[in-house]
C-alpha cells in the first residue's frame, strides 16, 4: 500500500471497533433485554439513546477538539470508546447500561467526522471518494467479522463478554492510529460563526435531512432484524448470525461499489442506491420466507443500504466546504438521528399491533422520502447554478 493508505487503514481500525459496538446490539436485542430486565421495544430505545448521544455529541466534541491535532483527537476519542465499552461490560441493570452506551456514543460522530477529513486530506484528488469509502470499510468489515462473532459470543456465553471484546478492539485501534497515522500539526482556530453559517445554508440542511431519512430506513429494519427473521423465516440463532454476516458482506460490497461511483458522481450514486433500496424493501417480506431467500435478501439489502453512505458524506462536505470537519460530524449525527428515529419507528409499528413483517415496508417508505429529497436538492442546485450564470452574464 502507498503511504497515505496506511494512515487511512489506521483510521479504519477505529471505525471497525465503532461499527462492532454500534451494530452488535441488533443481533443481541432479545438477550440484552432479558439481561437488563426490559422489554424488546425498551431495549430498542437503548439503541436510540446511543444514536441521540452521537447526534448531540458529534458537533460539540468536534468543535472542542479543534484545539488539538487530528491525530491527537482520534486517539482521545478511542480512549472514550474503550471506557464506554468497559462500563457496558460491567453493567448490571438498564440504567447503568444506558449510561455506558451514551458515553460510548460520544466517541462516534467526531471520530467519523475527523477521520473523513483526514482521509480526504491524505488521498490524491481523484481518489477522495474512495478514501471516504475506505473509512466506512472498517464499519462494513465489522458487520462481516466483528458483529457476527460478538453476537455468537453473546448468545452462547454472556452478552457482557461481547462488550468486553469491543473494548479490546478499541485498544487495538488506539495502537494502530498511534503507530500508523502520520504526525499532524495543530489545526488553526476555527471561525465558529463562519462554520455555523456554512452548515446552516439550505442545501446543507437538505443534505442532512436526506441522511436522516436514509439512516431511518436502515435502522427501522436493522434494529429488529432478529425478530423479523424469526417471524418470516423461522430462523434459529445460528441462522441469524449467518444472516448478519451476509448483511456485513453486503455492506462491504455496497461501500466498495459506491466509492467507485461516487468518484465519478455523488448525485448519481445517491439516486441509484436509494431507488434500489425502495425496491428491495418492498420485496423484503415476500422474498424472506425461507432461509435461503432471507439470506439472499439480507445480502442485497446490505449492498443497497450502505451504498448511500459515501456519497451522502461527500455531498455535505462539498456543500459546506468552509466547515468540512463540522459538516462531516453533523452528518454522522444526522445518520444517528435517523438511527434513533428508525429504532423508535420500528418499535411503534410493533407496539400499535402490527407484526414484524410490516417493518421492511415502513423502512421502504423512508428510503422513498430520502430519494425525493435528493431529487429536490439536485433540482434546486441546478436552478441556483443557472440563475448564477444568468446574473454573471448580466
Amino acid at each position: 500500500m502507498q503511504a497515505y493508505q496506511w494512515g487511512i487503514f489506521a483510521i479504519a481500525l477505529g471505525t471497525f471497533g465503532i461499527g462492532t459496538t454500534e451494530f452488535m446490539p441488533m443481533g443481541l436485542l432479545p438477550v440484552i433485554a432479558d439481561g437488563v430486565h426490559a422489554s424488546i421495544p425498551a431495549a430498542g430505545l437503548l439503541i436510540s439513546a446511543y444514536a441521540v448521544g452521537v447526534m448531540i455529541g458529534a458537533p460539540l466534541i468536534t468543535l472542542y477538539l479543534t484545539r488539538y491535532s487530528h491525530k491527537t483527537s482520534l486517539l482521545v476519542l478511542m480512549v472514550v470508546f474503550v471506557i464506554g465499552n468497559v462500563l457496558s461490560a460491567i453493567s448490571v441493570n438498564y440504567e447503568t447500561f444506558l449510561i455506558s452506551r451514551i458515553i460510548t456514543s460520544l466517541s462516534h460522530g467526531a471520530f467519523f467526522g475527523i477521520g473523513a477529513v483526514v482521509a480526504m486530506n491524505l488521498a490524491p484528488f481523484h481518489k477522495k471518494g474512495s478514501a471516504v469509502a475506505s473509512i466506512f470499510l472498517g464499519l462494513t468489515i465489522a458487520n462481516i467479522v466483528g458483529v457476527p462473532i460478538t453476537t455468537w459470543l453473546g448468545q452462547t456465553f454472556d452478552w457482557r463478554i461481547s462488550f468486553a471484546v469491543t473494548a479490546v478492539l478499541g485498544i487495538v485501534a488506539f495502537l494502530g492510529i498511534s503507530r500508523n497515522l502520520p504526525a499532524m500539526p495543530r489545526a488553526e482556530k476555527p471561525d465558529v460563526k463562519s462554520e455555523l453559517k456554512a452548515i446552516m445554508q439550505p442545501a446543507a440542511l437538505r443534505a442532512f435531512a436526506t441522511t436522516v431519512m436514509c439512516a431511518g430506513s436502515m435502522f427501522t429494519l436493522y434494529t429488529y432484524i432478529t425478530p423479523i427473521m424469526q417471524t418470516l423465516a423461522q430462523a434459529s440463532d445460528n441462522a441469524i448470525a449467518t444472516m448478519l454476516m451476509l448483511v456485513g458482506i453486503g455492506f462491504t460490497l455496497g461501500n466498495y461499489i459506491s466509492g467507485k461511483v461516487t468518484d465519478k458522481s455523488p448525485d448519481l450514486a445517491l439516486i441509484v442506491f436509494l431507488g434500489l433500496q425502495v425496491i428491495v424493501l418492498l420485496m423484503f417480506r415476500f422474498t424472506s420466507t425461507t432461509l435461503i431467500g432471507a439470506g439472499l435478501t439480507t445480502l442485497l439489502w446490505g449492498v443497497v443500504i450502505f451504498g448511500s453512505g459515501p456519497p451522502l458524506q461527500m455531498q455535505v462536505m462539498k456543500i459546506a466546504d468552509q466547515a468540512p470537519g463540522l459538516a462531516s460530524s453533523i452528518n454522522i449525527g444526522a445518520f444517528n438521528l435517523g438511527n434513533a428515529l428508525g429504532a423508535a419507528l420500528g418499535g411503534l409499528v410493533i407496539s400499535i399491533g402490527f407484526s414484524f413483517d410490516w417493518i421492511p415496508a415502513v423502512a421502504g417508505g423512508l428510503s422513498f422520502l430520502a430519494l425525493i429529497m435528493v431529487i429536490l436538492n439536485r433540482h434546486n442546485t441546478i436552478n441556483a447554478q443557472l440563475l448564477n450564470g444568468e446574473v454573471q452574464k448580466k
Side-chain angles (χ1 to χ4, degrees), residues 127-188:
K127 292 288 186 179
K128 292 188 182 296
S130 295
V132 173
S134 295
I135 298 303
F136 286 91
L137 183 62
L139 194 61
T140 64
I141 293 177
N143 282 276
I144 298 175
V145 180
V147 173
I149 289 176
T150 51
T151 297
W152 177 80
L153 285 171
Q155 291 173 340
T156 306
F157 300 102
D158 190 317
W159 60 268
R160 293 176 179 84
I161 293 175
S162 301
F163 287 96
V165 169
T166 59
V168 174
L169 291 177
I171 295 172
V172 172
F174 179 95
L175 296 174
I177 292 168
S178 178
R179 179 169 181 171
N180 293 294
L181 201 65
M184 297 174 178
R186 179 177 170 180
E188 294 183 7

Side-chain angles (χ1 to χ4, degrees), residues 49-284:
Y50 180 94
V52 171
V54 176
M55 179 186 65
I56 296 173
L60 298 178
I61 293 175
T62 300
L63 284 173
Y64 175 79
L65 290 174
T66 53
R67 67 191 67 190
Y68 304 105
S69 73
H70 287 326
K71 181 175 181 178
T72 300
S73 298
L74 293 174
L75 290 173
V76 168
L77 291 167
M78 273 295 101
V79 171
V80 174
F81 172 85
V82 171
I83 292 172
N85 279 284
V86 168
L87 290 175
S88 293
I90 62 176
S91 294
V92 294
N93 55 40
Y94 187 91
E95 290 75 21
T96 54
F97 186 70
L98 173 64
I99 293 170
S100 74
R101 291 299 285 169
I102 292 174
I103 291 173
T104 306
S105 73
L106 297 179
S107 67
H108 187 128
F111 189 91
F112 272 92
I114 295 171
V117 172
V118 171
M120 286 190 67
N121 289 338
L122 291 175
F125 180 79
H126 65 288
K127 292 288 186 179
K128 292 188 182 296
S130 295
V132 173
S134 295
I135 298 303
F136 286 91
L137 183 62
L139 194 61
T140 64
I141 293 177
N143 282 276
I144 298 175
V145 180
V147 173
I149 289 176
T150 51
T151 297
W152 177 80
L153 285 171
Q155 291 173 340
T156 306
F157 300 102
D158 190 317
W159 60 268
R160 293 176 179 84
I161 293 175
S162 301
F163 287 96
V165 169
T166 59
V168 174
L169 291 177
I171 295 172
V172 172
F174 179 95
L175 296 174
I177 292 168
S178 178
R179 179 169 181 171
N180 293 294
L181 201 65
M184 297 174 178
R186 179 177 170 180
E188 294 183 7
K189 187 175 181 180
D191 182 346
V192 176
K193 184 177 179 180
S194 176
E195 293 206 356
L196 290 176
K197 182 179 179 181
I199 64 171
M200 290 301 293
Q201 58 182 302
L205 294 177
R206 288 194 296 267
F208 295 143
T210 303
T211 298
V212 171
M213 292 296 102
C214 187
S217 171
M218 178 178 181
F219 283 94
T220 297
L221 174 61
Y222 203 15
T223 302
Y224 301 95
I225 190 70
T226 296
I228 287 171
M229 287 307 169
Q230 290 172 340
T231 300
L232 288 173
Q234 290 76 53
S236 65
D237 288 345
N238 288 336
I240 289 169
T242 300
M243 289 176 193
L244 290 174
M245 186 177 295
L246 289 172
V247 169
I249 292 172
F251 285 172
T252 304
L253 289 173
N255 186 70
Y256 175 78
I257 296 168
S258 178
K260 298 299 182 183
V261 179
T262 302
D263 281 336
K264 300 183 183 340
S265 172
D267 285 346
L268 175 62
L270 271 176
I271 291 171
V272 168
F273 281 104
L274 287 172
L276 290 174
Q277 283 174 35
V278 175
I279 296 171
V280 171
L281 286 165
L282 291 178
M283 293 168 47
F284 202 101

